[in-house]
Amino acid sequence: MKTIKGPAIFLAQFAGDQAPYNTLDNMCQWAASLGYKAVQIPAWDTRLIDIKKAGESKDYCDELKGTAAKYNLDISEISTHLQGQLVAVHPAYDSMFDGFAPKEVHGNPKARTAWAIDQMKSAVSASQNLGIDVMGTFSGSLLFHTVYPWPQRPSGLVEAGFKELADRWLPILDHAKDCGVEVCYEIHPGEDLHDGVTFERFLAATGNHSSAKILYDPSHFVLQQLDYLQYIDFYHEYIRMFHVKDAEFNPNGKSGVYGGYQDWVDRPGRFRSLGDGQVDFRSIFSKLSQYGYDGWAVLEWECCIKSPEQGAAEGAPFIADHIIEVTQKTFDDFAGKETDEKELRNILGLE
């Protein structure tokens, strides 16, 4: 067993154009003042990081680490969710997802995919330059619009979709393996990797690539009504990153899992600040500790009711309170004694 590191905070939902949210230095000072020990940096936010430069220059990465270290912080991981999303986009979503990419590739899906793959490779190299061996992302999706099979899915469609998804990711995963970095897919509705079965499909399609891992976020399982505790039992060996995010699911006579196209505040399934939802974090931290997860516990704040400032302030002590300092001894060691093979055989009645 190992002790989870934390608390850390994902900066994406807090970054903005006004201080203290407008530079990495300011955000590190802010995070440290709240009690966080590390920051997770979104690779797409140029106010915080130049991901292309970070992939090319270890000196620049040392500067980033130095900025965090001024406030006794680590950089926990880089997040590449938006770039990862663009590795695989179904044409139905082209116009909406163009906003994640630079204008020069808008309206050109092939160029956008190539840009995303290049960005992902840069982020992998940046992680290596920062001395970090994991990186968070989304898988993107070619199939999610068929998740509810009506009209019925043609035979072979799912297999073809996962083969194409794997083909797009394999150059990134191979580069990650060369750099000693694991790509951790956040299992998330809207992505082709949205539950355990789809992760297994993808893993098989990549030939069980050693760099394909999981970013575990229980909030998305609450909204899917998936057993998020048993998920850890099934996939703990793949879980290498952890977003601490709360959620609740309160179905009613008008809507359920699909949410009726309602805004977040009106949906039966919605994200909440830590402690305001239904996630059993005591059991999650216990299971992850039991299985030897030694990565960071990172606050991802998304709440349709509470302010981000309050959510961030409450998040650090909430996570710290849930981190278990794992024991290095068995509670009944006091009653034990040294034995040898002869005594063991005597206890068994064999002598």
Side-chain angles (χ1 to χ4, degrees), residues 42-45 79-87 89 97 99-101 115-116 119-120 136-138:
W44 59 88
D45 197 322
S79 156
T80 58
H81 288 67
L82 299 196
Q83 292 99 326
Q85 181 75 61
L86 299 186
V87 170
V89 176
F97 280 139
F100 291 175
W115 173 85
Q119 284 273 298
M120 292 299 300
T137 198
F138 279 152

Side-chain angles (χ1 to χ4, degrees), residues 33 37 46 58 67 96 130 135 160 180 193 207 224 230 243 245-246 304 314 318:
S33 73
K37 296 182 179 179
T46 56
K58 190 173 186 305
T67 297
M96 290 186 285
L130 287 165
M135 182 182 76
L193 276 62
Q224 293 184 73
Q230 191 176 45
H243 272 174
K245 188 169 75 171
D246 213 341
C304 54
E314 294 175 348
F318 183 94

Side-chain angles (χ1 to χ4, degrees), residues 26-74:
N26 285 345
M27 292 207 79
C28 285
Q29 184 177 23
W30 166 76
S33 73
L34 296 177
Y36 291 98
K37 296 182 179 179
V39 292
Q40 185 179 101
I41 301 177
W44 59 88
D45 197 322
T46 56
R47 293 168 297 198
L48 307 180
I49 189 172
D50 180 334
I51 199 62
K52 192 74 174 176
K53 184 177 179 180
E56 297 170 348
S57 171
K58 190 173 186 305
D59 287 342
Y60 173 65
C61 287
D62 288 342
E63 291 175 13
L64 296 175
K65 291 167 64 176
T67 297
K70 280 199 306 183
Y71 305 103
N72 296 314
L73 294 175
D74 290 323

